Amino acid sequence: MKYFIPLFLLVNFALIGGCFDSATKSLVSEDIELLVESPPYKVGDDIPALAYMQHDEEYNPESVIPPQCYTKTEGTNNPCYACHQTDKKNKNRPNAMNDGHLQGVYEFSDLGLKNHWKNLFIDRTALIEQISDDQISSWVNQDNYSHFIKKLKANPDWQGEVAEVKNLAYPAQAFDAQGFAKDGSHWVAFNYKPFPSTFWPTNGSTGDVMIRLGDNFRQLEGQYNQDVYIANLSLVEMAVKDLDKITTPDISEQKIGQDLDGDGKLSAVISQITKQANYVGDAKNTQLSYQLYPQDTEFLHTVRYIGVDENGEIYNAPRMKEVRYMKKHAFKSKQLLASSYYSEAKEKHFENLPQTRYLGDEGINNMFGWTINGYIEDSEGDLRPQHKQELAFCNGCHKTVGSTYDQSFSFPRKVEGREGWGYIDLRAMQDVPNKGEQQGEFLTYFERVGGGDEFRQNQEMLMRWFNQDGTVNKQKVRSAKNLYELITPSKARAQQLNKAYLTIVKEQSYLFGRDATLIKAKNVLEVVDESQAPLQEEKRYVWDIQLEWN
């Protein structure tokens, strides 16, 4: 694909066109090597993101502060509640972050007062105009995952995970109707409600999430047993969501050797189980733990471009922006987690900058029992391991955020029970409320945020779902057939968002921000100062990321 850009940007792209070579696990572009030999940068120079990584100079020590945290609330608009929560009623909750007080308060270190996500403040209109619709369509419909996996498997020096699902670029080929990977890798896709609102297609990306449990959760007497696996997947869901019973795909108690529905007999087929003290099969000695996953649980998450077919319908494109991976390498009890949260709080109290423990090829240790890794496109569109500075960004969401369940977002939002096993399908979901609430989650979000994204700059969402006076058109939102209608963009917007992100790929400027913004953000602070109004008390909310599916 030919990529047209203005001449003044060609100079910058020549400087930053390097990529990661998996064999050497380092930046190995001749252009980057020339940077090392060139004179040092002077104060005020516009230094490319890749130069910071090549010189091992930290650009943003506060990269755990996501771009959304710099949103101007104007005292009334609150996108913060989706992440920052304190649940004082639930004394058994393992998440002891209790950061609800951060809603609408810019409580940053001195270094964090400056917004380092400077890609938010770039108008990409001229760049977008240089890319044709045919060019971007060709780009997003290429499979860059299969080649990436092939390279990892062929590299004898690679020490990280190889999270392979054959045909993952094409979900219909990769998974069966219940979400099980057809290649026997034991990854299972599930249908979940996308987290508001960065992960809505209208705001830049499509995506999916898969779960995989450890070997002993899939086996009986050392042999793979799908009935055992389904039962344990369902028990994990019950543990995380604190359910007493749940519907399941058809399983055989006789093949498991255990009464799971509580009727006192071993049935050939059941479709509902009750909560058990322990998991089943070869994991029978592992207890269920409230709101916690068992050790060796893995998640695979792809962030993709927005696919647009010939009829303008939106789908998950084959090309992946990122592949993200998490593994629970160590189980931590509620008490041990409390110690980890305390350590984090103590570091912040003494005004120490956030620390990230790097594990080389394996990614990073978030210090809460999880190993996190991530891969992102190089300037040619091939997936590469993220640099340690790029990976530190992951800790902003998967470490100390008050709304998470065991540092995760998507699985607690899975469609409950039997209906939730299968590849993500926005058309199969309605805008159900969150736990303890009455109206649809996304309708509530529109009202609390004052827009269809954290930055309140998605004009298409404002035109679709808001009145001219800025209030939400509740009747129209409630009449939406499904989530697809609510949160997918028009063909024109999808193409623009894809083009905007491609310019970031060509720049390799992820350290400066990954959000596919079209124009300069207006409702985002570049520098935080004391004049910023705190969020009004009545505009702060207690909220649960779980949903009332029934």
Side-chain angles (χ1 to χ4, degrees):
M1 185 190 85
K2 192 173 181 181
Y3 182 81
F4 295 94
I5 50 179
L7 181 60
F8 75 91
L9 279 171
L10 281 172
V11 177
N12 282 341
F13 285 179
L15 286 173
I16 58 180
C19 63
F20 273 88
D21 184 295
S22 60
T24 60
K25 292 166 279 183
S26 62
L27 291 162
V28 289
S29 162
E30 290 183 2
D31 293 328
I32 292 298
E33 288 173 359
L34 288 174
L35 289 174
V36 179
E37 300 171 3
S38 65
Y41 289 102
K42 301 184 297 296
V43 174
D45 284 353
D46 190 10
I47 303 173
L50 283 181
Y52 283 99
M53 295 187 286
Q54 176 62 26
H55 287 278
D56 200 23
E57 180 178 338
E58 193 167 20
Y59 166 69
N60 181 12
E62 284 280 24
S63 61
V64 297
I65 303 174
Q68 290 75 14
C69 288
Y70 291 95
T71 301
K72 297 177 183 177
T73 69
E74 310 292 359
T76 60
N77 304 294
N78 183 1
C80 317
Y81 77 92
C83 287
H84 301 300
Q85 283 297 318
T86 298
D87 184 0
K88 294 182 178 179
K89 294 181 181 179
N90 188 352
K91 304 299 182 182
N92 296 319
R93 188 170 179 255
N95 187 338
M97 184 58 192
N98 295 328
D99 59 358
H101 66 283
L102 292 179
Q103 291 183 34
V105 176
Y106 306 101
E107 197 173 284
F108 303 149
S109 68
D110 290 345
L111 188 147
L113 293 176
K114 177 183 177 181
N115 187 344
H116 287 75
W117 306 109
K118 57 185 182 180
N119 273 346
L120 291 174
F121 307 106
I122 295 176
D123 187 332
R124 296 187 177 271
T125 305
L127 290 174
I128 290 170
E129 290 176 351
Q130 305 303 312
I131 309 170
S132 73
D133 287 350
D134 287 343
Q135 287 173 326
I136 198 63
S137 295
S138 174
W139 179 263
V140 304
N141 283 307
Q142 295 169 9
D143 171 13
N144 60 347
Y145 170 82
S146 299
H147 177 64
F148 161 69
I149 291 295
K150 184 177 180 181
K151 284 177 64 177
L152 286 187
K153 293 172 71 174
N155 179 7
D157 297 324
W158 178 249
Q159 300 297 314
E161 84 293 334
V162 179
E164 179 180 14
V165 179
K166 290 183 179 178
N167 299 315
L168 183 55
Y170 309 100
Q173 299 177 31
F175 303 100
D176 66 19
Q178 292 181 346
F180 285 84
K182 296 177 181 179
D183 63 1
S185 61
H186 307 304
W187 285 105
V188 188
F190 55 90
N191 196 21
Y192 64 98
K193 195 176 183 186
F195 194 76
S197 67
T198 297
F199 290 98
W200 293 350
T202 185
N203 290 324
S205 302
T206 60
D208 52 29
V209 182
M210 288 68 68
I211 187 172
R212 182 166 65 180
L213 303 183
D215 290 344
N216 56 331
F217 290 82
R218 310 192 298 254
Q219 297 175 353
L220 179 63
E221 297 180 355
Q223 299 297 314
Y224 177 71
N225 184 312
Q226 182 144 318
D227 294 82
V228 164
Y229 196 16
I230 292 174
N232 281 328
L233 286 165
S234 300
L235 289 170
V236 168
E237 183 174 355
M238 296 177 78
V240 171
K241 297 180 178 181
D242 191 30
L243 303 174
D244 292 324
K245 61 182 179 180
I246 197 169
T247 60
T248 70
D250 289 349
I251 55 177
S252 170
E253 289 178 315
Q254 295 175 0
K255 292 182 178 179
I256 298 172
Q258 189 170 332
D259 175 22
L260 295 176
D261 61 3
D263 66 355
K265 59 183 179 180
L266 297 183
S267 302
V269 179
I270 62 170
S271 58
Q272 180 174 289
I273 64 176
T274 58
K275 182 179 285 188
Q276 309 291 308
N278 289 33
Y279 292 97
V280 301
D282 290 353
K284 62 184 179 183
N285 293 324
T286 302
Q287 294 182 342
L288 274 68
S289 296
Y290 178 65
Q291 294 188 356
L292 297 174
Y293 302 98
Q295 185 170 324
D296 294 330
T297 299
E298 298 170 280
F299 286 106
L300 181 61
H301 170 36
T302 74
V303 182
R304 306 179 184 226
Y305 287 82
I306 309 169
V308 186
D309 68 17
E310 56 188 14
N311 298 317
E313 295 293 296
I314 303 301
Y315 63 94
N316 285 14
R319 177 173 288 280
M320 300 176 190
K321 296 178 176 181
E322 296 184 53
V323 174
R324 299 172 175 179
Y325 172 83
M326 290 178 64
K327 181 173 183 177
K328 192 165 188 178
H329 63 263
F331 179 84
K332 288 194 172 188
S333 65
K334 177 192 172 186
Q335 291 73 26
L336 286 175
L337 287 171
S339 177
S340 296
Y341 282 110
Y342 175 75
S343 295
E344 286 287 313
K346 185 169 68 173
E347 289 293 314
K348 186 172 183 178
H349 175 76
F350 286 107
E351 299 183 355
N352 294 325
L353 290 172
Q355 300 296 311
T356 300
R357 178 172 292 184
Y358 303 104
L359 305 174
D361 289 346
E362 295 179 27
I364 59 177
N365 181 344
N366 77 346
M367 307 307 294
F368 287 79
W370 293 92
T371 298
I372 302 173
N373 215 350
Y375 309 88
I376 203 162
E377 287 180 286
D378 66 19
S379 61
E380 299 303 315
D382 291 330
L383 290 166
R384 62 162 174 81
Q386 292 190 39
H387 185 271
K388 62 183 182 180
Q389 288 194 54
E390 295 167 327
L391 277 175
F393 172 75
C394 304
N395 271 342
C397 292
H398 296 289
K399 195 173 186 181
T400 50
V401 172
S403 68
T404 59
Y405 280 66
D406 202 354
Q407 280 60 52
S408 75
F409 291 90
S410 297
F411 193 74
R413 299 171 60 80
K414 172 189 171 293
V415 175
E416 190 172 303
R418 181 188 188 115
E419 300 303 316
W421 294 112
Y423 194 76
I424 186 170
D425 181 3
L426 298 179
R427 287 185 172 87
M429 287 181 279
Q430 305 296 320
D431 186 27
V432 298
N434 294 89
K435 286 185 67 175
E437 302 197 9
Q438 300 301 314
Q439 71 176 14
E441 175 189 43
F442 292 173
L443 171 56
T444 299
Y445 186 86
F446 292 161
E447 290 183 322
R448 293 177 177 177
V449 174
D453 67 313
E454 294 93 343
F455 306 137
R456 307 191 300 283
Q457 67 183 41
N458 185 330
Q459 295 301 311
E460 189 168 89
M461 291 293 277
L462 291 172
M463 292 177 64
R464 279 184 181 178
W465 308 116
F466 288 75
N467 300 311
Q468 290 187 348
D469 64 0
T471 60
V472 182
N473 188 332
K474 291 186 178 183
Q475 183 177 356
K476 189 175 181 182
V477 173
R478 287 174 176 145
S479 68
K481 297 177 183 178
N482 48 41
L483 294 191
Y484 178 90
E485 185 176 340
L486 268 179
I487 61 171
T488 55
S490 65
K491 177 179 179 179
R493 178 170 171 81
Q495 296 282 52
Q496 285 187 314
L497 289 167
N498 286 336
K499 293 174 185 179
Y501 186 80
L502 178 55
T503 67
I504 295 174
V505 172
K506 289 298 178 180
E507 296 166 359
Q508 290 290 282
S509 60
Y510 306 120
L511 289 185
F512 305 152
R514 312 178 190 194
D515 296 280
T517 52
L518 304 178
I519 59 176
K520 180 178 178 178
K522 296 180 180 179
N523 296 318
V524 182
L525 298 168
E526 294 189 55
V527 178
V528 178
D529 60 46
E530 294 180 355
S531 68
Q532 305 306 320
L535 203 64
Q536 297 172 17
E537 192 68 31
E538 64 270 20
K539 297 294 183 178
R540 305 183 186 194
Y541 310 99
V542 177
W543 180 80
D544 194 323
I545 70 172
Q546 281 199 55
L547 300 149
E548 297 281 10
W549 291 109
N550 298 318

